[in-house]
Amino acid sequence: MMRTIRTAVLAALSVFLVAGPAQAATAPLAAPPATAQLSLEISPPQGPVVPGTNGTLKVKVTNQGPSTTTDDTLVVVHLPAPAVVQSADPAVALTYFGTGSSYKIPAGLAPGASSVERLALHVAPITLSYQTISGDVQVYYPGDPDQSGHTTQYSFTTADTRATFMTGASSAWQAGHPEPQPGDLTGHPGATISLPLWVYNAGPSYSRHPIEVAITVPERTTLTGTVPYGCKSTGPRTLVCAYQSGPRFEDAIFINPSVVIDSSTVAGQVLPGGTLDVVAAVEDCWTPYWHTDYVVTVN
């Protein structure tokens, strides 16, 4: 009985040993990537880039032959934070990492053909003026004789910062920014109230230059209490405020002067004459948003 089992096992093993190599010989092997010699050309942003806006980096990868690529080509763009490759034209999937991003050129790039991407390099609003931003682009293809990665460096400079100022008088916020609502300031006769006045920076940059603001409180109100930071009183109803810089991008300077409402006023009376103006700002030209009229309603 033992001899019969041993004979059967040896017979099965011999079949496996004979069939195994034959089956392995018929299994397909992955073809190595076709040889392709790549070249890399880049064009950095032309001219300085305003912080908070985009500059265009043109990346051109050419297959110098001798074969069409049979695998993806990896393009790596190093760009120091907080700048970021925001988008690509034509659109490609961008993979982000700590010091930049990458994308792939699909297989099928023929000899003499090129892949061209225009990458939007977003310079963060916080970036300083007149800075040099440097990086490099690297290209890798498995079938390229040069596996060190074709590397080309680039650099560009930032322009002066640019801020867009808006003014308002209210405590309301909507969609992440103050909402002007002249007329929502109220108080009783003889009461002391705070006036929520603000200067908002709609960007695209952080403000880096001095600004000056002028305030007039409404008729039949008088300034009282501590003068707001950066301001000085120039009359019973007027303030001039000076700041070394305006607010950060998508942020506001809040100026909250306190006033006493004339005790002889009556409920329902509207006290006009309140104004808020940005009177000087290097980074922004005068617009209607620099000026706000507001009132206090007696209740």
Side-chain angles (χ1 to χ4, degrees):
M1 182 66 173
M2 290 296 294
R3 182 174 297 175
T4 304
I5 295 173
R6 185 180 301 168
T7 302
V9 171
L10 290 173
L13 182 59
S14 65
V15 171
F16 174 78
L17 291 174
V18 171
Q23 291 172 353
T26 60
L29 297 175
T35 300
Q37 299 182 18
L38 303 181
S39 66
L40 171 64
E41 299 176 54
I42 63 175
S43 300
Q46 300 299 304
V49 179
V50 174
T53 65
N54 295 345
T56 300
L57 174 67
K58 181 181 175 183
V59 178
K60 181 180 180 181
V61 178
T62 302
N63 180 359
Q64 303 291 356
S67 304
T68 298
T69 59
T70 57
D71 205 340
D72 291 343
T73 298
L74 179 65
V75 181
V76 179
V77 181
H78 291 105
L79 178 65
V84 65
V85 180
Q86 192 170 66
S87 61
D89 180 24
V92 292
L94 293 167
T95 299
Y96 295 94
F97 54 90
T99 58
S101 60
S102 64
Y103 63 92
K104 292 180 179 179
I105 301 171
L109 189 65
S114 298
S115 168
V116 178
E117 290 290 343
R118 291 171 174 82
L119 305 177
L121 307 186
H122 183 70
V123 178
I126 196 173
T127 309
L128 297 173
S129 309
Y130 313 120
Q131 300 294 298
T132 298
I133 296 177
S134 300
D136 63 56
V137 179
Q138 298 176 319
V139 177
Y140 299 91
Y141 171 67
D144 193 330
D146 180 2
Q147 284 296 295
S148 65
H150 300 272
T151 302
T152 301
Q153 295 181 337
Y154 68 89
S155 65
F156 61 94
T157 59
T158 60
D160 197 2
T161 52
R162 188 171 70 229
T164 303
F165 298 116
M166 303 168 59
T167 59
S170 82
S171 56
W173 279 70
Q174 184 175 349
H177 58 80
E179 187 70 15
Q181 292 184 6
D184 70 345
L185 312 181
T186 61
H188 300 304
T192 297
I193 64 171
S194 179
L195 304 179
L197 310 179
W198 47 262
V199 178
Y200 178 76
N201 177 10
S205 311
Y206 275 42
S207 174
R208 301 288 186 184
H209 297 289
I211 69 168
E212 187 174 315
V213 179
I215 297 169
T216 301
V217 301
E219 298 173 7
R220 306 192 69 179
T221 69
T222 305
L223 288 163
T224 189
T226 304
V227 176
Y229 171 77
C231 302
K232 65 179 180 180
S233 176
T234 55
R237 293 178 48 222
T238 56
L239 293 169
V240 173
C241 308
Y243 304 96
Q244 291 185 345
S245 63
R248 297 176 298 178
F249 171 56
E250 294 186 340
D251 203 350
I253 292 175
F254 295 92
I255 311 167
N256 295 284
S258 295
V259 296
V260 176
I261 300 174
D262 191 329
S263 58
S264 64
T265 58
V266 296
Q269 192 170 358
V270 177
L271 310 180
T275 61
L276 171 64
D277 290 273
V278 175
V279 294
V282 172
E283 294 160 308
D284 194 12
C285 297
W286 188 93
T287 73
Y289 297 110
W290 275 26
H291 173 82
T292 293
D293 293 308
Y294 64 97
V295 301
V296 167
T297 301
V298 183
N299 59 14

